[in-house]
Amino acid sequence: MSAPTHRRNPFLGRMPLPERNYIADALRTETVGGVLLLAAAVAALIWANTLGGSYEAVRGFHLGPAALGLDLSVQHWAANGLLAVFFFVAGIELKRELVAGELRDPKAAALPVIAALCGMAMPAVVYFTVNSVGGGSLQGWAVPTATDIAFALAVLAVIGTSLPAALRAFLLTLAVVDDLFAILIIAVFFTSTLNFLALGLAAVGLVIFYLLLRKGVRGWYVYVPLALVIWALMENSGVHATIAGVAMGLMLRCTRREGETRSPGEHIEHLVRPLSAGFAVPLFALFSAGVSISGGAVHDVFTRPETLGVVLGLVVGKTLGIFGGTWLAARFTKAELNPDLAWPDVFAVASLAGIGFTVSLLIGELAFSGNAVLTDEIKASVLIGSLLAAVFAGILLKLRNAEYKKLCEEEERDEDQDGIPDIYELDNPEYHLRMAAIHEAKAAEHRRLAEVASSRHAGDDGPA
């Protein structure tokens, strides 16, 4: 007798139910936040192009205690303060993926990590090439490297396209790895002068934060004030203040202990994610996305090497990088694609990842902070590049939308109504017994109706 063969779980195959439920819950919040983000971006553009003077006055208004080094503009508060909340959630997501999600298994993590790395490297190469040939500034190489998961999901919501859970999870994992490397890029390449005293005190604050977590101390009134102190010290240290949010997110425990339905990290993420997606990120977009859009400005986006490099990096670099990295990694590891999907589906998701909004705008501000005109042009290129990527991805996804709907319906079907999709119970004998009872009851009812119909038919055919 030959030894039994063990089939590996295919790439983009069915996820474990707890992981699927967690991702579905997270993506629902991100989708709502993405729609708000889209609305905020549109509002910023309208405000900046109709009442530009008031827009500049509001986002340039300074407030905060100068003695603490926090006399900052509204735009700065939004970029460094509110986005710290966004990166805090990103830190929790990353920690959870590393200890309990797709990234915990090196073999399973290889494909999305390689795809994400290629999806960041290729846009940088495209930007570098365009600006080397065109004689532009190389400072903006990192602008087109990031994916905005919320904006991508908002596009899906707006165009009404369904995506199977595996493709959504792949997109989320790409975004998590993207965020990790965006954090490293910000920390390494956009830190100039350092205040070692403030940085040291911030490190002490992070150690205290970690020890309190280890000791099991609870209460928002302990952690929120401490987090604000750590953030303020990081802001004064010369390191971008959002790094404080990431560091604190990474410290939370994201593994479940016996008797826990959620780990502390998952619980806090569930509480903070709506604040991040529904308030912090849209408000950042409101004060960062407002740029002047005119025929001349659009013409400049496609003729200036810096802005053209960003557009091509997002639309072409992201798509080719993610798809090419995924295909090569699958070939190298001999991973088999889920038979319900096809490589054009991966290509469509790769093009959707070209929507780089929040982090791209932030890096654009950091890269060209000394040149207000070029900063606005870079922002315009991010908006135009993201729009082109959204349109391109939307067309590709619509071509397969009917198939996606069938797959989603199959994933959601729960005929025995026990709260667990049937597809996860095919190996459970109790499920099949329940379904047998359901079908037997339906059969009995149909037999009864057949007898009633037969008696009526006999009565109609009888003598008058």
Side-chain angles (χ1 to χ4, degrees), residues 125-374:
V125 169
V126 169
Y127 180 93
F128 185 87
T129 303
V130 171
N131 282 272
S132 295
V133 173
S137 170
L138 301 180
Q139 289 178 268
W141 64 270
V143 175
T145 60
T147 292
D148 194 308
I149 183 67
F151 221 141
L153 292 172
V155 170
L156 292 178
V158 169
I159 65 177
T161 299
S162 303
L163 269 189
L167 285 176
R168 287 177 178 265
F170 181 61
L171 185 62
L172 179 61
T173 305
L174 286 174
V176 169
V177 179
D178 249 15
D179 288 341
L180 167 63
F181 285 98
I183 291 159
L184 293 175
I185 287 170
I186 291 170
V188 173
F189 294 99
F190 297 105
T191 297
S192 51
T193 57
L194 287 176
N195 181 332
F196 288 100
L197 176 60
L199 185 60
L201 291 174
V204 170
L206 288 170
V207 171
I208 294 171
F209 190 92
Y210 175 75
L211 292 175
L212 290 173
L213 289 172
R214 292 279 291 180
K215 293 291 184 182
V217 176
R218 297 187 177 185
W220 65 267
Y221 46 84
V222 174
Y223 292 102
V224 171
L226 178 58
L228 291 174
V229 171
I230 294 170
W231 176 86
L233 288 168
M234 195 69 78
E235 170 67 24
N236 282 277
S237 72
V239 177
H240 201 270
T242 53
I243 304 300
V246 177
M248 288 183 277
L250 287 170
M251 291 180 184
L252 295 174
R253 176 169 63 83
C254 292
T255 52
R256 299 177 188 179
R257 293 175 179 169
E258 188 176 352
E260 290 182 339
T261 56
R262 281 179 177 166
S263 66
E266 290 172 327
H267 175 67
I268 293 173
E269 182 187 10
H270 182 74
L271 295 176
V272 179
R273 185 186 287 276
L275 175 64
S276 169
F279 176 75
V281 176
L283 205 56
F284 164 75
L286 181 64
F287 292 113
S288 290
V291 294
S292 177
I293 300 294
S294 63
V298 173
H299 176 267
D300 291 342
V301 165
F302 290 99
T303 54
R304 184 161 185 157
E306 293 90 348
T307 50
L308 181 61
V310 170
V311 173
L312 293 178
L314 289 171
V315 179
V316 178
K318 269 290 181 183
T319 304
L320 295 182
I322 291 174
F323 179 78
T326 305
W327 188 82
L328 288 173
R331 293 273 294 183
F332 182 75
T333 59
K334 297 182 180 178
E336 295 180 1
L337 184 65
N338 181 350
D340 291 328
L341 299 172
W343 282 108
D345 299 320
V346 181
F347 187 83
V349 171
S351 65
L352 188 64
I355 300 173
F357 187 75
T358 306
V359 178
S360 292
L361 289 177
L362 174 62
I363 293 177
E365 291 180 359
L366 296 173
F368 299 102
S369 58
N371 189 333
V373 174
L374 184 53

Side-chain angles (χ1 to χ4, degrees), residues 11 15-16 19 22-23 90-117 169-181 250:
F11 170 52
M15 295 177 294
E19 181 73 5
Y22 170 81
I23 288 176
I92 300 175
E93 284 180 341
L94 177 61
K95 177 69 173 289
R96 188 192 170 280
E97 287 290 322
L98 289 171
V99 301
E102 290 290 308
L103 302 181
R104 74 186 183 280
D105 179 5
K107 291 182 179 179
L111 273 168
V113 169
I114 291 172
L117 286 173
F170 181 61
L171 185 62
L172 179 61
T173 305
L174 286 174
V176 169
V177 179
D178 249 15
D179 288 341
L180 167 63
F181 285 98
L250 287 170

Side-chain angles (χ1 to χ4, degrees), residues 385-398:
S386 298
L387 177 61
L388 292 175
V391 171
F392 182 50
I395 293 171
L396 294 178
L397 292 169
K398 274 294 186 182

